[in-house]
Amino acid sequence: MSCCGGGAMAPNSIETITTSPFEGQKPGTSGLRKPVGTFQQPHYSENFIQAGLIAGLGDKLVGSSLAVGGDGRFFCKEAAQLIIKMAAANGVSRIVIGQNGILSTPACSHIIRKYKLDGGFILTASHNPGGPKGDFGIKYNISNGGPAPEGITDKIYKITQTISEYKIVPNLKVDISHKGTTSHKIAGATLTVEVVDSVTDYVEFMKEIFNFSKIKEYVKSKNILLNAMNGVTGPYLQKIFVKEMGLPSDSCLNCEVLPDFGGRHPDPNLTYASDLVDIMKQGKHDFAAAFDGDGDRNMILGHKAFFVTPCDSLAVLAGNLQCIPYFQKHGVKGFARSMPTSEAVDKVAEKNGKECFEVPTGWKFFGNLMDAGKINLCGEESFGTGSDHIREKDGIWAALAWLSVLAHKNKSVEEVLMEHWEIYGRNFFSRYDYENVSAEAGAKLMEGLDKLIQDPKTRGMTFSDPTGKSYRMQYLDNFEYTDPIDGSVSKNQGIRFLFEEGSRIIYRLSGTGSSGATIRIYVEGYEKSENPQFYKEDAQDFLKPLITIAVRTSKLKELTGRDQPTVIT
Ligand code: VG1
Ligand code: CO
């Protein structure tokens, strides 16, 4: 019998809604990312969430537990409520959610692990712009706290291609603006929703990993700047650096979490965080870090905007494990990097007798290695650094790790880098991004390169730039990865040209864009010199011949009409 009369639904009753598939719901490098308007279409988000619940939780779905958190961008709150309603209808019995639906990606990963949850939904398009005209994203993470591996994302995609119905409790209303636990009766079962403080668990964890009093002493004697870029890290930075460490509040910039990130790209690189670079150039500060929309990326700058490439950042941390209490306590077995990331960390591994793994682009590939205890520190050239404390990359962790190194050594960022290069040599690295080219041009470029690598003539060839600088080909392929733990194979992960003496050119298409294509060209060259001055050379100058060769060989100008990249890192 209905309680409300007139054929109205009983409160909290489960409805099964008929739907049909949408094209293109294939999770990319890190979840499904599309323009907000796409997610707002009737049934679009619902279809993807239903597929995520089924593929992610399988026969554990009824009675399972989930984390939900997002980076505060436009549509996060609506999506969080939708997930609660659908999780309830699918029999989930426990949800842990950040207050107002807000959790940074690393904080969400930590919460899944700490509360021993079966999985989670992270609501973010990371560094992609937000707002009603920007991007939104949904990512499913598994019980280890990491992004779902390809086996699960493939299953999600498959389900979205044939989906015909989803389940929802349309009337369920949960107040996520107040901390606390509420219980909801759903068709004879109970759903418990725990609204937790967005920052507390994470900050407590950082205090276990790092020596806060040592960092506090150090940062008080220096001028440091942290830039949240109006993404999710603002409240975390204020808690850690202002409240805990006593820095003035103006040392943390753009800390208000804005649904459109103030209209900018929340991407911590030299182009999109140029305001921070400009301040640092004035020479009044010793250290700066910036973070992306969901808080998993970081950029590290030293005095006068001395730029640490993410590849070097990883290698420096790997070379200075003694400065970080967590590594001292738990030990470090090995390192890993994504394929396009420079081989700087490999040099550290080699010299210090550690294993080093090379995986495809995307944090999901590190999870198995961490779970198996094979690696404890890893990173990507795309401003991602992290350890096995969680299963996502972690921007604030990286800044605290750097501050630990600086405090321990009492050296400047530049001095730490110089010392590193003198021991290991320098892997000069640069990435050229050509954003928003047509999907067709992107595909053609990759096809052309694929043909080239299959041509036996290319092997053993010497490539020269107009000045006569030449590189002899040593090995080339389209990178393929076999996961050493579960044996799963990932093909077509990027075209690699490996030259003699450690120079590399790598090409791949981005898997995080929401329309068209983004071509990424990664260029690397290695040098070891007796003269330390040599290491100060500008990477662009050092790599110029290789960049010229990379652009020409791919026929980039002819195929895309682009003369210049959108972003140079
Ligand atoms: C990019 C980066 C990759 C990173 C991914 C997600 O992917 O290159 O290294 O893991 O973004 O990072 P792609 O496919 O566009 O190259 V985030 O901070 O956007 O979650
Ligand atoms: Co991110």
Side-chain angles (χ1 to χ4, degrees):
M1 198 183 83
S2 155
C3 70
C4 313
M9 274 177 304
N12 293 350
S13 68
I14 300 171
E15 281 200 17
T16 300
I17 309 286
T18 304
T19 186
S20 50
F22 287 88
E23 257 178 43
Q25 291 198 324
K26 189 176 169 59
T29 312
S30 182
L32 181 71
R33 294 185 190 176
K34 299 281 175 198
V36 164
T38 304
F39 278 98
Q40 283 174 322
Q41 295 172 86
H43 311 305
Y44 187 92
S45 301
E46 288 86 341
N47 282 10
F48 189 74
I49 293 165
Q50 184 67 56
L53 287 167
I54 296 173
L57 293 159
D59 47 17
K60 270 191 161 177
L61 180 53
V62 173
S64 63
S65 55
L66 279 178
V68 179
D71 62 5
R73 71 177 59 222
F74 188 83
F75 200 58
C76 262
K77 275 192 190 159
E78 291 85 340
Q81 289 292 354
L82 193 57
I83 289 169
I84 294 174
K85 288 177 183 181
M86 292 186 61
N90 280 277
V92 172
S93 64
R94 181 183 183 201
I95 291 176
V96 180
I97 183 167
Q99 192 174 8
N100 292 313
I102 290 187
L103 287 174
S104 73
T105 291
C108 196
S109 181
H110 174 52
I111 278 181
I112 294 173
R113 296 169 67 78
K114 178 172 174 176
Y115 294 79
K116 298 196 167 33
L117 306 177
D118 297 310
F121 282 100
I122 303 187
L123 308 172
T124 175
S126 192
H127 58 286
N128 297 20
K133 294 213 158 68
D135 281 350
F136 188 70
I138 304 182
K139 181 164 77 161
Y140 184 79
N141 279 32
I142 58 173
S143 62
N144 73 357
E150 283 196 326
I152 292 180
T153 55
D154 287 350
K155 224 185 211 172
I156 294 179
Y157 181 46
K158 255 204 170 136
I159 295 172
T160 66
Q161 289 173 303
T162 53
I163 192 164
S164 58
E165 56 181 45
Y166 61 82
K167 286 185 189 165
I168 188 162
V169 181
N171 282 1
L172 179 61
K173 286 212 170 59
V174 180
D175 176 11
I176 57 170
S177 65
H178 292 96
K179 285 181 272 188
T181 302
T182 52
S183 290
H184 308 268
K185 285 264 167 277
I186 317 283
T190 305
L191 167 70
T192 308
V193 180
E194 295 165 55
V195 180
V196 298
D197 187 81
S198 305
V199 301
T200 305
D201 287 306
Y202 178 82
V203 174
E204 289 309 312
F205 193 34
M206 288 301 116
K207 281 179 165 173
E208 286 169 29
I209 292 173
F210 297 106
N211 183 340
F212 264 41
S213 54
K214 197 167 172 184
I215 299 176
K216 181 173 177 177
E217 215 173 283
Y218 178 78
V219 295
K220 273 192 157 167
S221 68
K222 302 283 174 196
N223 273 329
I224 78 162
L225 274 183
L226 300 142
N227 188 357
M229 302 185 85
N230 295 117
V232 75
T233 54
Y236 296 81
L237 295 178
Q238 278 167 333
K239 177 86 193 303
I240 292 173
F241 291 98
V242 181
K243 286 218 182 80
E244 295 278 342
M245 300 203 183
L247 287 184
S249 59
D250 61 4
S251 61
C252 296
L253 309 172
N254 305 314
C255 280
E256 202 187 337
V257 185
L258 296 177
D260 68 346
F261 308 114
R264 294 184 306 241
H265 270 261
D267 197 0
N269 58 37
L270 296 172
T271 304
Y272 296 125
S274 60
D275 50 347
L276 184 70
V277 177
D278 291 340
I279 301 173
M280 289 303 288
K281 276 188 183 157
Q282 294 167 12
K284 293 182 195 138
H285 298 88
D286 308 287
F287 174 89
F291 310 96
D292 73 336
D294 63 328
D296 56 357
R297 294 186 177 203
N298 75 92
M299 175 171 75
I300 303 292
L301 298 173
H303 186 63
K304 293 204 169 153
F306 180 90
F307 172 63
V308 183
T309 71
C311 306
D312 281 340
S313 175
L314 170 64
V316 165
L317 296 182
N320 290 286
L321 300 172
Q322 74 282 5
C323 307
I324 296 164
Y326 176 88
F327 290 140
Q328 289 307 100
K329 197 168 149 195
H330 298 273
V332 171
K333 270 273 188 58
F335 312 124
R337 60 171 172 82
S338 65
M339 181 273 280
T341 304
S342 90
E343 292 176 346
V345 68
D346 304 40
K347 305 264 179 318
V348 179
E350 208 176 301
K351 209 175 183 95
N352 298 297
K354 308 266 183 213
E355 256 198 292
C356 191
F357 295 83
E358 182 178 38
V359 308
T361 294
W363 210 260
K364 59 185 170 217
F365 294 103
F366 294 125
N368 276 351
L369 293 168
M370 286 186 181
D371 288 351
K374 291 206 173 286
I375 63 163
N376 312 83
L377 172 68
C378 55
E380 295 191 276
E381 49 62 42
S382 54
F383 298 86
T385 327
S387 90
D388 62 346
H389 66 293
I390 53 171
R391 295 292 180 275
E392 291 276 6
K393 53 190 186 266
D394 190 343
I396 293 178
W397 175 92
L400 289 167
W402 261 91
L403 288 167
S404 304
V405 171
L406 299 176
H408 192 93
K409 303 193 142 225
N410 202 18
K411 287 194 165 138
S412 72
V413 174
E414 185 168 353
E415 284 164 353
V416 168
L417 256 304
M418 285 306 288
E419 179 188 84
H420 184 89
W421 291 330
E422 280 176 37
I423 301 171
Y424 301 100
R426 180 171 175 189
N427 290 73
F428 290 88
F429 177 88
S430 185
R431 179 174 112 179
Y432 278 42
D433 294 331
Y434 300 82
E435 297 177 331
N436 277 318
V437 304
S438 73
E440 201 196 344
K444 270 208 173 133
L445 182 133
M446 293 306 285
E447 264 167 43
L449 288 166
D450 239 329
K451 274 203 190 119
L452 197 64
I453 61 167
Q454 280 165 34
D455 185 344
K457 276 184 278 176
T458 321
R459 266 162 227 274
M461 234 171 96
T462 296
F463 288 71
S464 306
D465 84 327
T467 69
K469 177 100 178 114
S470 62
Y471 301 84
R472 206 178 138 78
M473 179 71 73
Q474 195 179 39
Y475 180 81
L476 74 177
D477 70 358
N478 192 333
F479 184 61
E480 188 176 309
Y481 177 66
T482 305
D483 185 297
I485 312 302
D486 66 16
S488 59
V489 177
S490 304
K491 295 185 174 172
N492 291 320
Q493 297 297 320
I495 303 279
R496 301 195 293 176
F497 285 13
L498 311 184
F499 300 97
E500 279 172 0
E501 282 144 24
S503 297
R504 306 194 306 164
I505 298 174
I506 285 142
Y507 304 89
R508 56 182 286 283
L509 295 181
S510 157
T512 55
S514 65
S515 60
T518 291
I519 298 165
R520 304 201 195 284
I521 303 183
Y522 312 78
V523 176
E524 177 180 357
Y526 175 72
E527 280 289 346
K528 181 121 175 63
S529 164
E530 290 303 311
N531 176 8
Q533 284 311 309
F534 173 84
Y535 295 126
K536 294 194 170 174
E537 187 175 353
D538 183 74
Q540 294 305 317
D541 294 338
F542 182 87
L543 295 169
K544 202 168 173 215
L546 263 181
I547 292 166
T548 309
I549 292 169
V551 171
R552 280 190 171 185
T553 308
S554 63
K555 303 207 163 56
L556 188 126
K557 275 187 200 167
E558 297 88 317
L559 291 169
T560 65
R562 296 287 177 89
D563 237 355
Q564 291 298 325
T566 339
V567 178
I568 296 180
T569 303

